[in-house]
Amino acid sequence: QETEKKIIAFEKENNCTFQEMLDRVEYTVWDTISIEEYQDAKSDIIYEQRWNNLLNILKEKDCKMVQPVYKKELFSFEDAMTFFQECLNKGLEGIILKSKDGKWKDGKPNYQVKLKLEMDVDLEIVGFNYGTKGTKNEKVISSLICKSLDGILTAEPGGMDEKTMQEVTNSQEELLGKIVHVKCCGITQANGKYSLLHPRVGDQKFRDDKVVADTFQQIKDNEDMCKGLK
């Protein structure tokens, strides 16, 4: 009954049926391995062959809701950086470089490299979040509530180690209104509100040398510079 209520509310909010929304779903795939390979946590089949196997499976099944990820062959570091910037400027998070003859394994092999944007932002602390109930961090602050100087952008950076979380928990009153160094992967927007992609407290942590947070325009200019637009 609870699920049915949620579906009805969903249909009313989006002015369409649940099935109509399901028909719009598109599943993007980028690799294929067998169940046995997954259980062994490795595959001896090179990536180029796995990719061709994937395309053959999709062609055979003719499933329109499943599509292969966009792939481009690159030949140099310059090619990779140019394509990386193109993807960022389209609003994508980044790219993954893969060796054509790389085998698959459960982990982070050195023949597969993730490229993503990383930028620094200084925000004002306006609140605190305790950890999720039932976890080891439920009694300590695990993330901060922050905003830009003009309040246009808000974010909740986490990523603090246990020592820092305890220090923040014990110093909430002193830290309120302070400037915190935040690392992120750029600006994100949802429902007309701006935030940061994957924000986390940076190495400089709490800035004693700065008393004013960045404005939204400063953060946007920083992002444009990192993307090569400025």
Side-chain angles (χ1 to χ4, degrees):
Q1 277 189 331
E2 188 64 28
T3 301
E4 290 179 0
K5 289 180 181 178
K6 289 182 179 180
I7 291 176
I8 293 172
F10 177 86
E11 292 177 335
K12 185 176 181 181
E13 181 180 351
N14 293 277
N15 194 31
C16 66
T17 67
F18 188 63
Q19 185 59 50
E20 287 174 333
M21 291 299 291
L22 288 178
D23 291 339
R24 298 179 192 175
V25 172
E26 185 175 290
Y27 186 57
T28 302
V29 292
W30 57 92
D31 206 339
T32 179
I33 57 173
S34 67
I35 295 176
E36 291 75 20
E37 289 170 329
Y38 175 78
Q39 292 172 339
D40 291 340
K42 65 182 180 67
S43 171
D44 291 328
I45 301 175
I46 63 173
Y47 176 64
E48 186 173 27
Q49 185 176 342
R50 299 199 313 272
W51 174 259
N52 290 331
N53 290 343
L54 173 64
L55 296 182
N56 289 333
I57 291 172
L58 296 180
K59 184 178 180 180
E60 179 183 335
K61 299 298 182 182
D62 191 28
C63 182
K64 293 181 173 57
M65 70 178 295
V66 181
Q67 299 293 331
V69 71
Y70 177 73
K71 185 169 76 75
K72 183 175 183 178
E73 193 167 4
L74 305 171
F75 299 94
S76 66
F77 175 78
E78 289 74 16
D79 283 351
M81 293 307 297
T82 299
F83 182 56
F84 173 54
Q85 287 192 328
E86 290 174 359
C87 291
L88 290 181
N89 297 335
K90 291 178 181 178
L92 302 175
E93 186 175 335
I95 64 174
I96 297 179
L97 299 174
K98 295 184 177 183
S99 171
K100 293 173 68 174
D101 59 358
K103 300 176 181 179
W104 180 84
K105 69 176 183 179
D106 186 10
K108 296 181 179 180
N110 57 13
Y111 46 80
Q112 179 173 303
V113 181
K114 179 185 289 186
L115 293 183
K116 63 180 182 180
L117 174 69
E118 183 172 86
M119 55 183 277
D120 300 294
V121 179
D122 290 323
L123 299 177
E124 178 186 349
I125 301 173
V126 296
F128 306 91
N129 294 318
Y130 279 89
T132 305
K133 288 186 177 181
T135 68
K136 65 176 183 178
N137 296 329
E138 67 175 344
K139 295 184 179 180
V140 294
I141 299 299
S142 64
S143 65
L144 312 173
I145 304 173
C146 304
K147 70 177 184 67
S148 59
L149 178 62
D150 44 29
I152 295 176
L153 181 146
T154 59
E156 299 187 8
M160 296 178 284
D161 56 36
E162 292 186 7
K163 180 181 178 182
T164 303
M165 286 191 289
Q166 190 60 62
E167 290 174 350
V168 172
T169 304
N170 297 337
S171 309
Q172 295 178 59
E173 188 173 338
E174 295 89 336
L175 289 173
L176 199 62
K178 293 282 188 179
I179 305 301
V180 60
H181 171 228
V182 178
K183 282 190 173 294
C184 67
C185 297
I187 299 172
T188 184
Q189 183 181 11
N191 300 321
K193 297 180 180 180
Y194 292 97
S195 188
L196 298 177
L197 191 63
H198 306 313
R200 59 200 181 281
V201 176
D203 300 334
Q204 299 181 50
K205 297 181 182 177
F206 310 108
R207 303 285 302 269
D208 292 327
D209 61 328
K210 192 171 183 180
V211 295
V212 178
D214 295 338
T215 64
F216 174 75
Q217 190 59 53
Q218 288 174 322
I219 299 171
K220 185 67 174 66
D221 288 344
N222 185 13
E223 182 185 53
D224 289 345
M225 180 182 66
C226 292
K227 290 181 175 180
L229 297 177
K230 287 191 175 182

